[in-house]
Amino acid sequence: MAEEPYQGFEQGPIRPPSESGSLLIRVTRNCPWNRCTFCGLYKGERFSRRPVAHVLRDIDAVRHWLTVLQRAEAAGGGGLPAPGQYLAEGDWMAAVAARNWLAAGAGSVFLQDSNSLIVKPDHVIAILTHLKTTFPSIERITSYARSQTVARIDAADLTRIAAAGLNRIHIGLESGCDAVLAKVAKGADRAAHVAAGLKVKAAGIQLSEYFMPGLGGRILSRQHALDSAETLNRIDPDFIRLRTLALPDGLMLAREQAEGRFDQLNDLETAEELLLFLQTLSGITSRIKSDHILNLFEEIDGVLPDDRERLLAVVRRFLAMDAEEQTLYRIGRRTGLFRRLDDCRDPVLRRHAQGYVDRWSVTAANVDAICAELVKRFI
């Protein structure tokens, strides 16, 4: 079978918020699993592995444009010519990627798309080696991976991958509750998550695990919080990142909600679930990060166990607010105005948030529906 022709530099659709300044290098296209009911990003798209030679050419293209930009800057110029002056769209994309990466400090790389470690270990190592050789000053190289994929990688190969330069792996745990994982078709159970997490850590690679508040709905909310915390207690990842469930139209889980087969939590219920989750985390030294606009509390950011009470206090303070103040904060947060609870006290931000409340006639009866619609804008 003939190898597909090189079509130029490629970039996939997503990366973790923590990789906003990273160079995005596409190793695979889309998702090999693509069955999770809470995710619609890759639905209808075919998964494929890019030929290693194509990935290496992408890296070389970025190196070329980085050199062009650095020479132009040294000569007192700067900027890029118009897209029409390039031979192909891929050239322009590589040039823009180089410009953006240079502006961010050119210190980190993220391997795309959803599960780059599914390619052969020797291929991963070839890509990592070329990255480190081409850009010796790189400080961090990271990738998404599925627990089931990590479980199939030989421990010695994972150690070789770490030695070649992969510093961090992001795994979508989502839940540590087997009932929730089965319901949303995650394709991994609690035991697989624990085994994969421990395997990553044993290889000397930083581990970032994602917990999704609200994924169990009302029926499984308590078990979702407890089992997820206990699973993470067994793994002790370097990072625990929060990604609150949202249900944009078209998701399989959104259809289940519409048909009455899934009962989505509102913000108050999600906060109560999050409080239980945080209270149950114990005996670990993970950093908790709420680094996504979907989360109600961006200010939850701290290292366990030292920051435990401060993190819990954020959620408790919100739950102790009167209903009117909770509504104001929710609208302020869901419109992107508020980043922390104290923003309610900022007279300018408060006035703008109150303006939305008045304009949309927000009440206790409709605030849940309004917030659910506002959240969809950020998906």
Side-chain angles (χ1 to χ4, degrees):
M1 186 175 182
E3 184 176 281
E4 64 177 276
Y6 181 66
Q7 299 293 330
F9 183 85
E10 292 189 25
Q11 283 193 335
I14 61 168
R15 43 81 184 153
S18 57
E19 303 297 331
S20 60
S22 295
L23 172 63
L24 307 181
I25 295 296
R26 197 174 201 183
V27 176
T28 63
R29 302 183 184 98
N30 308 313
C31 177
W33 177 249
N34 206 16
R35 302 176 196 175
C36 299
T37 64
F38 58 85
C39 176
L41 181 63
Y42 300 108
K43 294 297 185 285
E45 300 294 333
R46 183 178 64 88
F47 172 78
S48 64
R49 298 167 175 83
R50 295 188 69 207
V52 174
H54 293 189
V55 181
L56 302 187
R57 286 183 66 175
D58 281 4
I59 295 168
D60 291 340
V62 172
R63 171 71 270 178
H64 167 73
W65 288 112
L66 206 62
T67 301
V68 170
L69 287 164
Q70 289 169 331
R71 287 174 177 170
E73 184 177 353
L80 295 170
Q85 297 184 34
Y86 294 90
L87 298 177
E89 181 183 358
D91 291 330
W92 171 247
M93 291 178 63
V96 171
R99 181 194 62 189
N100 294 343
W101 192 41
L102 185 61
S108 59
V109 177
F110 180 74
L111 305 181
Q112 296 178 303
D113 277 344
S114 68
N115 190 21
S116 299
L117 294 190
I118 199 170
V119 305
K120 294 178 180 180
D122 285 346
H123 291 178
V124 177
I125 290 168
I127 293 165
L128 293 169
T129 300
H130 195 60
L131 275 168
K132 295 288 284 186
T133 301
T134 307
F135 307 113
S137 61
I138 291 175
E139 299 172 357
R140 187 178 77 238
I141 306 176
T142 67
S143 174
Y144 281 132
R146 297 187 69 245
S147 288
Q148 295 288 58
T149 298
V150 172
R152 288 193 291 267
I153 300 174
D154 185 82
D157 284 333
L158 199 58
T159 300
R160 289 198 302 130
I161 288 171
L166 189 68
N167 307 90
R168 183 182 299 170
I169 292 175
H170 295 262
I171 291 180
L173 176 98
E174 325 303 1
S175 179
C177 174
D178 281 341
V180 174
L181 292 168
K183 184 173 177 57
V184 301
K186 178 63 183 175
D189 59 15
R190 180 179 183 175
H193 279 317
V194 172
L198 294 177
K199 194 173 190 178
V200 169
K201 293 191 64 181
I205 301 173
Q206 281 192 340
L207 176 63
S208 181
E209 296 272 10
Y210 291 78
F211 167 64
M212 186 171 284
L215 189 60
R218 286 196 173 93
I219 292 176
L220 293 172
S221 176
R222 180 174 177 80
Q223 209 57 48
H224 173 51
L226 292 173
D227 289 356
S228 297
E230 289 168 2
T231 299
L232 291 165
N233 288 342
R234 293 176 62 185
I235 299 171
D236 191 11
D238 297 276
F239 298 90
I240 297 172
R241 299 182 188 274
L242 307 179
R243 293 290 183 275
T244 303
L245 175 69
L247 296 179
D249 298 336
L251 286 187
M252 194 177 303
L253 196 57
R255 291 197 293 273
E256 292 181 19
Q257 162 87 353
E259 295 166 0
R261 294 185 289 123
F262 180 81
D263 204 359
Q264 186 178 12
L265 302 184
N266 62 30
D267 283 335
L268 273 67
E269 293 165 327
T270 301
E272 289 169 347
E273 179 182 281
L274 178 60
L275 181 63
L276 179 60
F277 169 77
L278 293 172
Q279 288 172 327
T280 310
L281 292 174
S282 177
I284 60 177
T285 57
S286 307
R287 180 165 189 171
I288 314 296
K289 296 281 291 184
S290 183
D291 54 352
H292 199 283
I293 190 64
L294 293 178
N295 298 330
L296 194 60
F297 310 111
E298 186 177 340
E299 62 198 290
I300 290 183
D301 184 353
V303 178
L304 297 177
D306 292 350
D307 296 325
R308 173 187 174 86
E309 290 307 313
R310 178 174 61 80
L311 302 182
L312 291 171
V314 174
V315 188
R316 287 173 175 149
R317 179 181 164 191
F318 169 76
L319 292 171
M321 290 177 172
D322 62 42
E324 185 175 337
E325 197 70 0
Q326 284 177 338
T327 295
L328 181 73
Y329 176 75
R330 291 173 65 185
I331 294 299
R333 178 62 182 158
R334 297 315 185 189
T335 54
L337 283 170
F338 292 170
R339 300 187 64 182
R340 50 187 52 83
L341 292 175
D342 278 346
D343 286 343
C344 287
R345 299 175 178 175
D346 183 297
V348 175
L349 294 176
R350 185 181 183 91
R351 184 169 65 252
H352 282 295
Q354 187 62 52
Y356 287 126
V357 170
D358 296 341
R359 186 184 315 164
W360 298 329
S361 301
V362 182
T363 66
N366 64 19
V367 63
D368 290 346
I370 290 173
C371 285
E373 286 300 314
L374 289 172
V375 163
K376 293 178 184 179
R377 301 183 312 156
F378 297 114
I379 302 296

